[in-house]
């Protein structure tokens, strides 16, 4: 519009008419900060993978979802009017995410034939998407839904893998912290400006799962290192040398809760979370503040999507996230009981959820003139 400077055009975009002007400025500034954060978010992870020559602890599905979504978004970014920084990010992010995929192919313990088959399948899928984008440019708006869905669920595989391994040792702490900052600014920008509903839903799921992943990082810590040290302590030395085959198996094994038996002795259980993370002094204060910030963020995200959509159907978002997390937690952590049944915690949870529902049904039937015997 005429009469507005370049900075005003940048900071007064997509504003709510009824909101104060400072809120519009603040939301656009947080959007710019979010765009800058994503430029460096994966660099610490790439560096850590290269230094340890391994991608253990990272989900391949997370990496594939990220790159596929960015590939679709690359074509969409140049088909609509977007700021320059958004287009630069649309070109830069696929390159960085493809680098992590190359590290998966290089450092994966899988056989060469298995890695080759996975690579060919991915190339066929990506080639099909590129062919659709080039030959059907008018359908890029619809294809953008592929990126929205993938970005919404991208962190679920990583969260589930963390529960399976009971460790987050493969993730770079700097990348996790930068992600928490980026998701916070992304949420403030998306919910503080007039954004399409699909992006509002995508922002909720991606921010929530990223915060759950951050919560796991602070809860699990470096538990894998602890397991490895105890395995080495409990290993018997044969002819003055350790039997390294057991450690090689443990290094390749992703499920650390079922660590391999070393000469008939299973490693001792890990210490409690408080002792394991050394929550004393300044470190304890920092750990507590971080946990409170993450839990507060999860609550704000749930309230935000309900406020932004104004529909009770938005409650399906938090319920879906809770259901996935609880199901994975039950399957990978608490379901390994001796009798193979449900864990005690899950039984208590089911009883606490079912009994009130049964009482409500009984009251409804009694209200309409039916007795408990009729119900049974």
């Amino acid at each position: 519009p005429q009469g507005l400077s370049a900075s005003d055009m940048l900071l007064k975009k997509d504003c709510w008419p009824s909101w104060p002007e400072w809120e519009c400025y603040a939301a656009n500034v947080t959007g710019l900060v979010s765009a800058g954060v994503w430029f460096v978010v994966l660099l610490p992870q790439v560096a850590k993978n290269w230094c340890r020559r391994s991608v253990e602890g990272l989900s391949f599905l997370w990496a594939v979802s990220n790159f596929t979504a960015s590939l679709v978004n690359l074509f969409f970014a140049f088909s609509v009017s977007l700021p320059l920084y958004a287009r630069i990010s649309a070109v830069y992010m696929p390159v960085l995410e493809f680098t992590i995929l190359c590290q998966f192919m290089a450092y994966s313990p899988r056989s060469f034939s298995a890695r080759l088959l996975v690579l060919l399948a991915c190339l066929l899928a990506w080639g099909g998407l590129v062919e659709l984008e080039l030959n059907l440019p008018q359908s890029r708006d619809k294809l953008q839904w592929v990126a929205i869905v993938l970005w919404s669920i991208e962190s679920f595989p990583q969260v589930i893998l963390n529960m399976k391994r009971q460790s987050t040792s493969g993730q770079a702490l700097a990348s996790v912290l930068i992600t928490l900052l980026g998701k916070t600014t992304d949420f403030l920008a998306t919910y503080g400006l007039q954004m399409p509903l699909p992006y509002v839903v995508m922002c909720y799921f991606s921010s929530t799962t990223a915060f759950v992943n951050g919560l796991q990082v602070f809860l699990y810590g470096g538990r894998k290192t602890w397991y490895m040290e105890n395995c080495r302590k409990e290993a018997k030395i044969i002819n003055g040398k350790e039997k390294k085959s057991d450690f090689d198996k443990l290094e390749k094994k992703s499920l650390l809760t079922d660590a391999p038996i070393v000469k008939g002795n299973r490693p001792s259980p890990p210490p409690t979370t408080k002792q394991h993370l050394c929550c004393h002094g300044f470190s304890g204060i920092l750990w507590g503040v971080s946990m409170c910030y993450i839990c507060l963020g999860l609550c704000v995200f749930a309230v935000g999507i309900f406020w932004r959509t104004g529909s009770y159907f938005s409650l399906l978002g938090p319920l879906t996230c809770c259901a996935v997390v609880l199901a994975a937690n039950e399957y990978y952590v608490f379901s390994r009981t001796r009798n193979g049944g449900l864990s005690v915690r899950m039984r208590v949870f089911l009883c606490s959820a079912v009994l009130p529902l049964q009482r409500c049904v009984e009251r409804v039937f009694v209200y309409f003139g039916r007795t408990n015997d009729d119900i049974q």
Side-chain angles (χ1 to χ4, degrees), residues 46-319:
V46 172
K48 182 173 182 176
N49 296 342
W50 182 81
C51 291
R52 64 185 183 133
R53 298 296 191 274
S54 173
V55 289
E56 183 186 1
L58 297 180
S59 171
F60 180 71
L61 292 178
W62 162 78
V64 171
S65 300
N66 248 334
F67 176 75
T68 306
S70 297
L71 182 63
V72 175
N73 186 66
L74 173 62
F75 292 92
F76 179 77
F78 287 90
S79 63
V80 296
S81 177
L82 289 177
L84 179 60
Y85 68 83
R87 292 187 173 181
I88 295 176
S89 177
V91 176
Y92 172 74
M93 291 304 297
V95 175
L96 201 57
E97 289 158 358
F98 186 74
T99 302
I100 291 185
L101 284 175
C102 291
Q103 291 179 328
F104 268 97
M105 295 300 167
Y107 303 144
S108 175
R110 303 282 184 179
S111 62
F112 176 77
S113 58
R115 284 181 286 175
L116 183 61
L117 288 176
V118 172
L119 177 61
L120 291 177
C122 292
L123 290 177
L124 287 176
W126 295 331
L129 287 175
V130 172
E131 188 73 16
L132 289 175
E133 294 282 3
L134 294 177
N135 295 330
L136 299 173
Q138 67 276 9
S139 64
R140 288 177 181 174
D141 291 340
K142 297 180 180 179
L143 288 175
Q144 184 65 8
W145 277 96
V146 176
I148 292 175
V149 172
L150 290 177
W151 273 327
S152 298
I153 63 175
E154 61 174 353
S155 296
F156 276 115
Q158 185 63 54
V159 169
I160 294 174
L161 179 63
N162 296 340
M163 290 183 177
K164 181 179 179 181
R165 300 177 67 248
Q166 288 292 281
S167 171
T168 57
S169 58
Q171 300 184 51
L173 180 60
S175 290
V176 175
L177 296 178
I178 294 173
T179 300
L180 294 179
L181 174 61
K183 292 301 181 182
T184 301
T185 55
D186 192 21
F187 174 83
L188 294 176
T190 303
Y191 283 70
L193 298 172
Q194 288 184 335
M195 301 293 288
L197 183 60
Y199 289 90
V200 173
V201 176
M202 178 193 71
C203 180
Y204 168 76
F205 279 105
S206 62
S207 300
T208 299
T209 52
F211 268 58
V212 172
N213 180 69
L215 185 67
Q216 291 176 323
V217 169
F218 285 97
L219 286 177
Y220 295 150
R223 187 172 291 181
K224 179 189 172 182
T225 303
W226 191 92
Y227 267 105
M228 290 297 295
E229 291 176 354
N230 279 269
C231 285
R232 293 188 180 278
K233 289 180 182 178
E234 296 181 8
K236 292 184 178 181
I237 299 178
I238 302 176
N239 297 327
K241 295 183 179 179
E242 294 179 346
K243 189 177 180 181
K244 295 185 178 180
S245 60
D246 294 318
F247 306 126
D248 295 336
K249 294 178 182 178
L250 179 59
E251 189 71 28
K252 294 179 181 179
K253 204 169 174 61
S254 61
L255 184 56
L256 294 181
T257 53
D258 286 340
I261 297 176
V262 181
K263 287 297 179 180
N265 295 323
R266 187 179 295 275
S268 304
T272 60
T273 303
K274 187 173 182 180
Q275 294 175 346
H276 177 63
L277 294 176
C278 301
C279 294
H280 301 286
F282 178 75
S283 299
I285 296 175
L286 185 60
W287 183 85
V289 171
S290 301
M291 292 291 291
C292 292
Y293 173 76
I294 293 175
C295 294
L296 178 62
L298 292 173
C299 296
V300 171
F301 296 157
V303 174
I305 189 174
F306 177 74
W307 163 79
R308 181 64 175 79
T309 59
S311 172
Y312 286 101
F313 286 104
S314 62
L315 298 178
L316 294 175
L319 291 177

Side-chain angles (χ1 to χ4, degrees), residues 326 329-331 333-337 339-350:
L326 288 176
N329 191 63
E330 168 66 17
Y331 181 78
V333 182
F334 299 121
S335 65
R336 292 182 177 87
T337 56
N339 57 5
L342 292 175
S343 65
V344 176
R345 297 189 183 186
M346 182 55 67
R347 292 173 184 173
V348 173
F349 172 77
L350 291 177

